[in-house]
Amino acid sequence: SKMQQHNFAIPEKESRAPTLTLSKTAQKLAQIEVTSVMKKEVVVATLLYGTIDYDETRLARIASWMGGRIDALFVDYLGSYVEQGDPIALIYSPELITAQAELIESKRVLKDLNESTLAFIKRSSALTESAAYDKLLLLGISDQQISEIIDRGVPSDHLTLHAPLGGTVIDLSIREGMYVKTGESLYAIADLTHLWLICEAYESD
């Protein structure tokens, strides 16, 4: 028999998505919930473990700006609370004595120069005085302490170290009678009124 070719015409009608109707019982069994689409914040609670640590922005580690001997400790145990500017330790340093003597001598020479002295000598003496002043600043001596040295006119063989901020002493690496080198760590102070919580949150969380 010969195959016959037939043309079928699809009736034009509005296409619709297939629908599925479930009873309330079937919806519960399928765990299907339907709700209106809306924009809102989604909060996900995740349990994280962590540790309390110091606030690095409120932590100061103090090192010796000169070599010398610790002759006195005004704060001698961990956990001590200090205010900003409180004396911490008294250090003896031959380097400090020399630097003070240079400043005092340069001050005396500059004062003794009279108006008839050549200008380049005055300029040279002024530069020497300025260098001696800056040297003391680099050794950790404050402007007020330098002014007291100049007024006294006699070098001091000890320098008092002061707390750069208020807080709790959390590290104390020195004891009375110890010799320290330039740059050696002396102690650390932390402000415990602010702390950090360090947690590990992974991408899956």
Side-chain angles (χ1 to χ4, degrees), residues 58-203:
R58 297 172 180 266
L59 176 64
R61 297 190 179 275
I62 292 81
S64 177
W65 290 26
M66 69 192 76
R69 184 183 67 237
I70 304 298
D71 278 353
L73 274 180
F74 305 115
V75 177
D76 56 0
Y77 65 93
L78 295 178
S80 300
Y81 181 80
V82 295
E83 298 284 353
Q84 183 176 2
D86 281 355
I88 296 290
L90 193 66
I91 184 172
Y92 164 80
S93 174
E95 182 181 2
L96 174 64
I97 299 174
T98 303
Q100 292 177 89
E102 291 175 355
L103 178 61
I104 293 172
E105 181 62 19
S106 63
K107 275 282 187 182
R108 185 190 64 79
V109 171
L110 191 61
K111 184 178 180 180
D112 290 344
L113 293 176
N114 52 48
E115 296 182 358
S116 62
T117 307
L118 295 176
F120 81 90
I121 297 180
K122 283 186 175 181
R123 185 164 55 251
S124 176
S125 299
L127 292 175
T128 301
E129 178 200 16
S130 177
Y133 194 98
D134 291 342
K135 185 176 182 179
L136 287 174
L137 290 176
L138 293 174
L139 290 176
I141 303 180
S142 66
D143 288 318
Q144 180 180 353
Q145 289 174 311
I146 294 177
S147 297
E148 292 173 356
I149 292 169
I150 295 173
D151 293 340
R152 189 171 57 246
V154 178
S156 173
D157 54 2
H158 285 81
L159 171 68
T160 302
L161 304 178
H162 298 275
L165 80 164
T168 302
V169 177
I170 62 171
D171 184 26
L172 189 63
S173 306
I174 54 175
R175 291 292 181 266
E176 287 189 10
M178 286 182 57
Y179 282 85
V180 295
K181 299 178 182 179
T182 302
E184 186 173 344
S185 177
L186 302 179
Y187 56 93
I189 297 175
D191 180 2
L192 301 183
T193 59
H194 294 76
L195 298 172
W196 281 357
L197 174 61
I198 311 298
C199 295
E200 293 187 3
Y202 301 96
E203 293 182 0

